[in-house]
Amino acid sequence: MHQPPFWNLVPTWCDGVQVFNVSIVAVPTTAPQAYNTDGIEPMFSRNVHISHCFIQNGDDSVTVKSGSHNVLVENCVFQDGHGCNIGSIQGEGVSNVTYRNIQRNNTLLGGGRIKARHWVDEWVVVENVRTGPAPLARYMGAC
C-alpha cells in the first residue's frame, strides 16, 4: 500500500487472520497529514498472525485493539511511526499478545505503548502481553 490517507488494514471481527509480507508506506511522522495513517490494527479479532511486514507511517505501526486475543506480531520492521501498541479505544479487554523480533527505526514513544480511551463505564483488562528482543535504531522521544 502506498500513501494511503487513513487507517490501512483493520481486520474486524475475524478469526484466523494471517498478514504476511505486507508493505505499507504512508506519510512519515514529521508531516502534518500523518495523523491516522495507522498500519495494521486487528480489532475484536482472535488468532491473528502478522509477520514479515514493513510499515512506514506517521501513526501507530501495529495496534492490537479492543476485544482482540491470541495475537502474534513478529519479524517486522516499523519505520517512523509509533511502533508496537495495544489499546486505543477500549470497550473490551485484550489478551495473549506477543511482539517479537521487531526492528523499530526512528519510532516515537520508545516504539510502543498501552493506551486506553474507554467508551464503557467499566474497566477493561489487558493481560498476558509479551515482547521479545526489539532493537531500537533511534528513539525520537515523546510527542
Side-chain angles (χ1 to χ4, degrees):
M1 297 180 209
H2 184 72
Q3 298 301 349
F6 201 64
W7 296 354
N8 291 285
L9 185 56
V10 187
T12 306
W13 298 108
C14 296
D15 189 358
V17 175
Q18 295 183 352
V19 181
F20 297 159
N21 300 310
V22 170
S23 184
I24 297 171
V25 179
V27 178
T29 304
T30 54
Q33 62 272 45
Y35 186 70
N36 279 333
T37 58
D38 301 26
I40 303 170
E41 300 188 318
M43 180 167 33
F44 298 106
S45 293
R46 49 183 63 247
N47 304 313
V48 177
H49 187 189
I50 300 168
S51 183
H52 293 92
C53 295
F54 174 82
I55 301 171
Q56 180 178 25
N57 65 347
D59 211 324
D60 300 335
S61 304
V62 171
T63 298
V64 178
K65 291 196 169 202
S66 185
S68 293
H69 308 281
N70 305 324
V71 179
L72 172 60
V73 183
E74 63 180 348
N75 304 315
C76 295
V77 176
F78 298 159
Q79 177 73 40
D80 298 328
H82 298 174
C84 314
N85 300 286
I86 295 172
S88 191
I89 298 170
Q90 290 287 87
E92 292 183 16
V94 172
S95 66
N96 303 326
V97 176
T98 299
Y99 281 100
R100 70 177 175 216
N101 195 29
I102 307 296
Q103 176 69 47
R104 299 169 296 164
N105 301 327
N106 204 37
T107 56
L108 287 171
L109 310 169
R113 62 189 166 163
I114 295 175
K115 55 186 181 172
R117 291 185 299 269
H118 300 286
W119 50 272
V120 294
D121 291 329
E122 57 189 62
W123 289 99
V124 296
V125 176
V126 175
E127 61 184 347
N128 200 17
V129 175
R130 296 181 201 103
T131 60
L136 181 59
R138 182 173 160 243
Y139 166 54
M140 290 179 57
C143 60

